[in-house]
Amino acid sequence: MTKLTFAAHPFLLGFDELERLVERTAKSGNDGYPPFNIEQSSENGFRITLAVAGFREADIAITVEDRQLMIRGRQADEVDEGRVFLHRGIAARAFQRSFVLAEGVEVAGAVLENGLLHVDLTRAVPDKIVQTIRITKG
């Protein structure tokens, strides 16, 4: 008996990549740091907001490859000889967050303000084209 996978369903022609995207999303292994919000900012716009207190613009890299948005943060190791922490509760560890983007969704920009990184996304509205297929004799 052959195992029928999600992408092998006869009504889902051309969606072979969907199963791979679902697996990649499940394996992302995000540990909850940094916390983030995803909101719909307009009919075709979204905003991902990450709490990145203590990170500077130079400490954060945002890339998109193969429809995967990757946000990485690594603070520079600054040695302050005169500082002695009695309690250090502000996380300064590196992070990596990934989000799989749907086809047609693009990054419009990113802004870092007040310890929050806002990444704006837009979805291109496809043109609605009705195509008539001509039938020929074999």
Side-chain angles (χ1 to χ4, degrees):
M1 184 171 166
T2 305
K3 179 183 175 188
L4 185 64
T5 62
F6 178 74
H9 192 279
F11 296 140
L12 297 175
L13 299 174
F15 287 88
D16 308 344
E17 196 173 320
L18 184 61
E19 189 168 13
R20 185 177 62 85
L21 289 173
V22 170
E23 287 178 12
R24 182 171 36 167
T25 303
K27 291 179 184 178
S28 64
N30 291 328
D31 64 352
Y33 176 78
F36 66 94
N37 292 336
I38 300 176
E39 59 186 297
Q40 187 164 6
S41 56
S42 67
E43 185 177 344
N44 293 310
F46 305 95
R47 174 173 266 192
I48 299 172
T49 301
L50 286 87
V52 291
F55 285 85
R56 299 172 302 189
E57 291 177 34
D59 299 333
I60 300 172
I62 303 171
T63 59
V64 177
E65 182 179 344
D66 191 25
R67 294 189 344 212
Q68 183 165 359
L69 170 65
M70 187 72 67
I71 304 171
R72 293 181 177 96
R74 177 176 299 279
Q75 289 182 325
D77 295 331
E78 296 180 8
V79 179
D80 290 331
E81 297 294 327
R83 296 176 79 180
V84 176
F85 290 98
L86 299 179
H87 171 74
R88 191 164 189 168
I90 299 173
R93 65 183 193 249
F95 69 87
Q96 177 174 310
R97 278 275 181 201
S98 62
F99 302 90
V100 178
L101 304 178
E103 194 168 321
V105 174
E106 296 182 3
V107 177
V111 177
L112 181 63
E113 62 180 355
N114 300 326
L116 298 174
L117 175 67
H118 303 290
V119 180
D120 292 315
L121 308 171
T122 58
R123 177 177 41 210
V125 180
D127 295 333
K128 297 188 183 206
I129 299 172
V130 176
Q131 189 176 19
T132 303
I133 309 300
R134 189 170 153 237
I135 302 172
T136 59
K137 291 184 178 182

